[in-house]
Amino acid sequence: MDVEESMDVEESLELSADPLSFARSYQLEALENAMKRNTIVFLETGSGKTLIAIMLLRSYAHLLRKPSRLIAVFLVPQVVLVNQQAAALEMHTDLKVGTYWGDKGVDFWDRDIWEKEIEKYEVLVMTPQILLDNLRHSFFKLSMIKVLIMDECHHARGRYPYASIMREFYHCQLKSGNICLPRILGMTASPIKTKGGNDELSYWKNIDELETILNSKVYTVASASVLAEYVPFSTPKFRLFRHTDIQFPMHSCLTERVEILHDKHVRELKLLDLEDSTAESVRKNLSKVKLALEYCLSELGVWLAAKAALSFYSNETDLFSWGNVDAMGETVKNFCLDTFQEFSPYLPTDPNWSIGVDLEGNINKGLLTAKVVSLIELLLEYRDLKDLRCIVFVQRIITAVVLQSLLSDLLPRNNSWKTKYIAGNSNHLQNQSRKKQNEIIEEFRKGEVNIIVATSILEEGLDVQSCNVVIRFDPSSTVCSFIQSRGRARKHNSEYILMVKSGDSKTHSRLQKYLASGDIMRKESLSHASHACVPLESDMQGDFYRVESTGAIVTLSSSVSLVYFYCSRLPSDGLVLSTHFKHSLLLLFVNCLIKAQCLVFISYRYFKPTPRWDFNTGTLYLPKSCPIQSICVEGNPKILKQIACLEACKRFHKMGALTDNLVPDIVLEEDYIQDPESQPYEDEQPGYVPAEMVGSFRPNEIYHCYLIELKPDFQYEIPVHDVVIGMKCELETDVENMQLDLQVGRGSLAVSLKYFGVIQLNPEQVRWCRRFQVTLFKILIDHKLKDMSEVFDQPHLPENVGVEYLLLPATTMDRRPLIIDWDSVTSILFPCGKFRQGHNSCKSPNYLNSKNGPVCSCMIKNSLVYTPHNGHVYCIMAILDDMNGNSVLKLRNGADITYKKYFEVNHGTNLQYANQPLLKGRKIFQVKNYLLSRQPKEKEQSNAYVELPPEMCSIIMSPISTSTLYSFSFVPSIMHRLESLLIAANLKRMYSDHGTQNVSIPTMKVLEALTTKKCQEKFHFESLETLGDSFLKYAACQHLFKSFQSNHEGFLSVKKDRIVSNVALCRLGCEHQIPGFIRDECFDPKTWIVPGDISTNSKLQEETLCNTTKIYVSKTRNLKSKRVADVVEALIGAFLSTGGEIEAIKFMNWIGIKVEFAFVPYERHFQVHAEKHVNIRRLESMLNYSFRNPSLLVEALTHGSYMLPEIPTCYQRLEFLGDAVLDYLVTTHLYKEHPGMSPGLLTDMRSASVNNDCYALSAIKVGLHKHILHLSRQLHKDIAAAVQNFERLPLEATFGWDSECPLPKVLGDVIESLAGAILVDSGYNKETVFRSIRPLLEPLVTPQTVKLHPAHELNKFVQKRHFGTNKPVRSSKNGLASYTIEVEANGVTFKHTSTAKDKKTAKKVACKNVLKSLKEAFNSN
């Protein structure tokens, strides 16, 4: 028993058929065959082959259901079929179905992502290249696939993925004795894809080849009559048309003119001074357009040839993707326009003329060919058909485009038919999106579109059962094409019409054979059904490379695409790939390069990192950034390039440039960054309260007392006095020495904290203190007396944990060392009936009647009262002996009224003691956020003071001075700052407890790093973040530069992003609980937790920090992940600014950023005679530095386009390092040189100093551009233009914002690469680098000379004045970027559109012009 038979026996033992009740007899028979052995189901289109596949999957379902690791894979040749087949599977099975195609980015998925898909889904529907790639990369194993279904399996020929899957994997494992292979089910309407043959033997030979490659036997029905009962067959008809050549003189003349125009535009290419590759791409596209126009002229007529020329010119159909390249776009469009003008004299000029009026006359004039007219007449024969659904098949895309245009213009005159076209992207000529194609198909299904003119893209898979007419405008080229297009007509009594030229017996005979081919193929398949499959002779012996650890494989045929794919991921110059481009077009682009078809033209401005094959020497030359420069091989000339590419793949893998899954190393790194599921983050983050402020009131508690000393720099009638804080624990030194200035509207209030000593309080004293502070703060904050019963009536101290510390009035200096003013504290006892205590000292008591009853006047003065008639609280400052209830009150309207009458009229109260003197009351002071960086000037309210009858007042606290109340209004802001400092101290302690000794960083500096701009305080983290960002970038770059000396700059950049990206920093911050420490909200006193207030303290939740210290969560707040990353950078900056690089490195290592600063020699395995390539003496003089290794100077000046073998590298790695070190050096210099600058200013100064435009101008200024080694014609032109523009700039234009001409990035790059070269050559001496490069950058920016980028300055200008802005309008055409900025200011629109070679320059110039207009309009500097 052979391997295949043993597999079949095993399968039959464990499977049982699961047919559907409505399955037809032949479908059940096919299912039975498929369960026994690998099967190719050969049945007509519409016969239900998909249902057979569904029933097979249902039979295997018990082996596929999760948690099984086995899957089924359903392959379809076109993307449009993925969702169609997946929908059928989901309808008829309960299996979980996943769908995959290139635009989903699957080409860039790694093993982990595919593992998740396999864990989630049981059937994977995909295009075959995806499975082939996954098998080659060993992300999939063939043994895990239980069922493999191949739709339209006739494609399994040559290098098509179906054949490669079988040849590279299935047959190899079958031959090795592996029995864990998938059940194969192929489905086709024609097992033959070729033109067939002249006899049955040639048909069988083709079928036998398909059976062999798929290791399957064909199942089919005995005759078409078996299917006829279920499947409607269209009636084939021949439509003969009389071919009439276009008048010879006209045709000959026009053809000759098109040729002359083509040659003219090709010659003009030489005048454009293009790169060779660009010029070749333009020539190819010109030739393709010329051939297309000549075809239209001969086969369709002058009218449609002119339509084609206009279509190409207007680029309406996106037939060629040349729009992004100026030279290519303009040249081809000009050729099309010239051609149209040549056609124009032969077109009717009468405005009333119509193409459809005289069809015969149009033929005679050559406007239309007889073939086109025959199609029109044929369609008009169906004008009475109620619901026409017709597909017209053509061979060429341009034919589909112009025929659709003609039919859309002509047919609606006779009926309401709507015509559209669908064309595939074969050879990448057409850019009709798949979404657009699907929309048209859906409109066709619904009857909203009646006619589709289509290329072969619609031959396969489109399921439109209502299609009733199929017309072959161009004859089918193969048996398969014939059968499939015929099968599109699915409706009963549908027609299949073959248009053939009269007298074309060869085509007529071929189509007759195609009509009979179905019966021949069925007969041959059935006659050989009993024969076993012949084993496929493997042609892979020695022609592949396999990674033993994973099983990943690269073959001769796949090695070329892998090498090109690897090179496409190398750093390039002038092209930035968006994520969308990477995921949807990159492999298409790679295939274009492989085939040398640059029709989808991608603009690498100066060079593209592609391999170059020299057939004569058998050498594969690789880009400079490759770890290998060239590979020379010998062998069969036909496959010599493949041999070289396979050898390159082997070497790439052995040196780590390809992973063990044979994926470029950079792709693996990018996957880590781009996978969103690997970096989860919740915006809801805790807000911490320090444990020092949390506890419970206990009897006989010991308190550490701190004195808050208040010293105003302003004069005010109400003085301030000190406040006492009672803490349960002693504070750290730099916290207990806290000093700050509060911004009071009248001036500044200096606050300092001093340790006083320890006191012990008994339970009653603690109760008094708690009641005092809760009452006082609730009144100060709310300005109303709410229900205070829980404070007044509580007999015991609460034992629950909450924010608990004491805030008490301090005694005056003459009463110390007694520090607590107990008279004020016990003022809270007045409502408890103890107000008579302490009256013995009153020599002449004078009682006034209040809401509390008779009260001595000395107790009313300096009291806090509540007035129920208006719900307000006042502090009583004096007794007005000269005023009573009968005194006159002057109202705002000028009227006079007595106080007694006033209270009677306005409050319905009749004063009983009108003769009592009135009280002078003052409204309670407002509690504000006095930490704000700006505080509006405070004016005394006109109604701040009022006169109150004593009988209208209920005394809350007495005696308590107005000074105490005023002083306590500042306390919430002071305590918020103290709480913030304690939070920062906790973070510092958590860091130091993990083995980091001698942490000298001030707690205030840590707090600065934790404070965001939203807090609106005098300080925030922006300067420290800028400093930390620059150091982090430098530390990471120098570490990677030393650690990965053989890897290219692109790999290093991705590695760096893994370290410094916001995602990475946020993750590390969260792992160390950083979010809870961040202060990201402006302080609001109304939300301040009053110590001892049980109504708010119940929300605290205990949490443990990573050093086992307790901390408490008071709330959660929305905190963006970028904010966490920013704070991590700011903390690095804080440690750097106070402790130097060593402390910064220690902190980075603690948080998880592992970098080393140890010296590592720069290994370079080649020798360069530097003096042969650059002027060493001149350059060293310019840089004021002598190189120990001059070859570093050569490397720093070598551009990637300089493809000379003696210099096997370019400046990109040194640029990577130099960019980081220059950024760090300049940022550090600015930070140290200008201490005390506002937090945002450092960011603006850094932005103005550290940018490519600034560096580029510096390079031109010193003549460095003359020393760059390159071989790019375009770069030479751009540098020349930049130099000319530089000469026109004003002398003060230093930072690049003034230049309205794009500055080549290369100019800035060499400044950075030279910095990198000096850093390496000097043994990583940063001071040497700055000493050398600084003169090139002079004058450096200062706070006085800094200029903002126009976009940033415009944004600030608009925000400050609250102007409106419209969304910028961006566009790109002919290689130029346009940018429109629009601002709405006081009803006037300020708008400017700028066009430049790049978007960055266009945006800068547009913003600059709008800003200039705004400043002129509003007289602003």
Side-chain angles (χ1 to χ4, degrees), residues 197-269:
N198 297 320
D199 53 24
E200 284 118 358
L201 183 60
S202 59
Y203 277 93
W204 165 242
K205 184 179 178 182
N206 281 284
I207 295 170
D208 183 49
E209 288 176 0
L210 182 65
E211 287 189 340
T212 301
I213 191 67
L214 294 183
N215 193 45
S216 307
K217 295 300 294 181
V218 170
Y219 165 81
T220 187
V221 293
S223 69
S225 60
V226 177
L227 301 175
E229 182 182 348
Y230 307 99
V231 183
F233 283 90
S234 59
T235 304
K237 295 180 180 179
F238 283 91
R239 178 76 173 208
L240 302 179
F241 60 89
R242 175 179 52 82
H243 178 71
T244 303
D245 288 328
I246 296 175
Q247 297 175 15
F248 179 76
M250 179 178 72
H251 180 269
S252 176
C253 176
L254 288 177
T255 303
E256 183 179 347
R257 289 301 304 160
V258 170
E259 189 69 40
I260 291 171
L261 288 173
H262 170 265
D263 294 343
K264 170 196 166 188
H265 285 280
V266 169
R267 286 195 303 273
E268 288 177 352
L269 281 176

Side-chain angles (χ1 to χ4, degrees), residues 171-191:
H171 285 285
C172 287
Q173 295 187 30
L174 183 66
K175 188 175 181 180
S176 66
N178 184 3
I179 63 172
C180 297
L181 295 174
R183 168 68 73 228
I184 306 293
L185 177 67
M187 301 187 294
T188 181
S190 168

Side-chain angles (χ1 to χ4, degrees), residues 295 671 823:
Y295 167 81
D671 285 336
D823 289 340

